[in-house]
Amino acid sequence: MSSHQAPLTEVTEPMSAEALEARLREIGEARYHHRHPFQLALQGGELDRCQVRAWALNRYYYQAMIPIKDATLMARLDDPDWRREWRSRLVDHDGEAPGEGGIERWLKLTDGLGLEREMVRSTRLILPATRFAVEAYTHFVRYRTLLEAIASSLTELFSPKVIGSRVSGMLEHYDFVSEETLDYFRPRLTQAPHDAERALAYVREHALRADQQQAVLEALVFKCDVLWTMLDALQHGYVEGHRPPGAWDGKSGLVAGATP
């Protein structure tokens, strides 16, 4: 059994905040998608242009749903200080005005890869598993406890490692991407650690009982599984060639003149 598949050890006695954080970081090291074959292929230059486009197209749905997820979470926070804190996440992705924010930068990425914006924004050609995984995440944040919802965001503790490898690897190996194309990732190198440390502080302060700590660990496992599932679907559909009906065919939705 791989480390990704290994079950959690049940929390039977309350841990210290330090021990809880250590367990969370162990989960990230074992289960975060930096180990996924598709991620390794993406940063290692092993994918073709179509496969990179498929990744960007499907990942857009995740990016677009992040502020919706965060708005749902923010509405559940009783403390105005925490609401102001969480609001920064919405601004990071939506911007303060049209043409700003992380979602706009992701659309510049898909623009740079030759995908039509209308097709990307419609999400009509994404993989079914992408839609199911992302909507499972938004449902989790809406309906599970506030502590679990916040803990599920802790994958951001591990994202800078992936971002650095992804950007450097793509710039090195793909002549169809540029630093401008990958501009989405630059702000995330500072935004994600800040957001993660604040969420971690909340979890350390509020997860005191053994059952709460168990729920926090399971929430992080769930979020890692969401990200892993999205890459599983890309691997199955665009590397192994088992693309489901209705998913992007690698040709439709290209900007006129773009190389297939």
Side-chain angles (χ1 to χ4, degrees):
M1 179 177 289
S2 73
S3 59
H4 178 71
Q5 297 169 321
L8 284 176
T9 302
E10 184 177 358
V11 180
T12 56
E13 298 290 337
M15 295 180 283
S16 67
E18 292 73 21
L20 176 61
E21 179 177 342
R23 286 284 301 276
L24 289 165
R25 293 186 182 277
E26 288 171 3
I27 289 170
E29 179 58 32
R31 294 172 178 260
Y32 192 56
H33 66 292
H34 65 302
R35 295 180 179 273
H36 196 283
F38 192 93
Q39 169 62 32
L40 296 175
L42 176 66
Q43 68 195 41
E46 300 171 21
L47 302 182
D48 60 29
R49 189 187 300 250
C50 172
Q51 292 163 338
V52 174
R53 283 170 167 158
W55 162 75
L57 170 65
N58 280 269
R59 179 79 181 201
Y60 171 78
Y61 187 54
Y62 175 81
Q63 304 300 145
M65 292 298 286
I66 286 175
I68 295 173
K69 176 269 296 185
D70 284 326
T72 299
L73 194 154
M74 189 174 69
R76 302 175 63 190
L77 290 165
D78 295 330
D79 187 333
D81 289 336
W82 273 103
R83 286 199 299 272
R84 283 188 287 268
E85 176 70 36
W86 217 264
R87 179 181 176 274
S88 68
R89 295 169 178 252
L90 275 71
V91 174
D92 288 344
H93 285 85
D94 282 340
E96 292 281 17
E100 299 178 358
I103 295 174
E104 177 65 23
R105 289 194 301 276
W106 196 271
L107 287 168
K108 290 179 180 177
L109 187 159
T110 55
D111 289 348
L113 292 174
L115 295 171
E116 292 180 351
R117 277 203 177 200
E118 186 279 329
M119 185 273 288
V120 174
R121 295 182 69 176
S122 75
T123 73
R124 65 178 181 269
L125 297 181
I126 65 173
L127 294 164
T130 299
R131 194 176 306 280
F132 294 154
V134 172
E135 292 180 4
Y137 180 37
T138 58
H139 186 278
F140 184 97
V141 171
R142 184 184 299 270
Y143 292 109
R144 300 297 284 263
T145 67
L146 183 58
L147 182 59
E148 289 170 291
I150 290 175
S152 70
S153 73
L154 288 175
T155 48
E156 290 177 321
L157 285 168
F158 319 109
S159 64
K161 178 192 298 185
V162 170
I163 290 173
S165 299
R166 179 183 295 151
V167 170
S168 62
M170 291 181 74
L171 288 173
E172 177 183 356
H173 297 295
Y174 303 120
D175 60 7
F176 51 87
V177 301
S178 65
E179 290 192 11
E180 182 179 6
T181 305
L182 301 179
D183 189 52
Y184 167 83
F185 297 105
R186 189 173 297 108
R188 295 305 299 161
L189 289 170
T190 54
Q191 292 168 353
H194 170 269
D195 292 345
E197 289 303 325
R198 296 299 293 139
L200 181 60
Y202 186 98
V203 167
R204 285 172 57 108
E205 180 180 351
H206 292 87
L208 303 178
R209 302 192 311 264
D211 63 315
Q212 292 173 323
Q213 294 174 344
Q214 181 74 34
V216 160
L217 298 175
E218 291 177 358
L220 180 56
V221 168
F222 167 79
K223 176 61 181 306
C224 288
D225 287 347
V226 165
L227 297 172
W228 195 275
T229 296
M230 291 170 62
L231 294 183
D232 274 351
L234 287 164
Q235 181 78 16
H236 188 69
Y238 292 97
V239 176
E240 298 171 7
H242 306 294
R243 190 179 71 251
W248 185 62
D249 61 8
K251 299 177 183 178
S252 58
L254 292 177
V255 173
T259 304

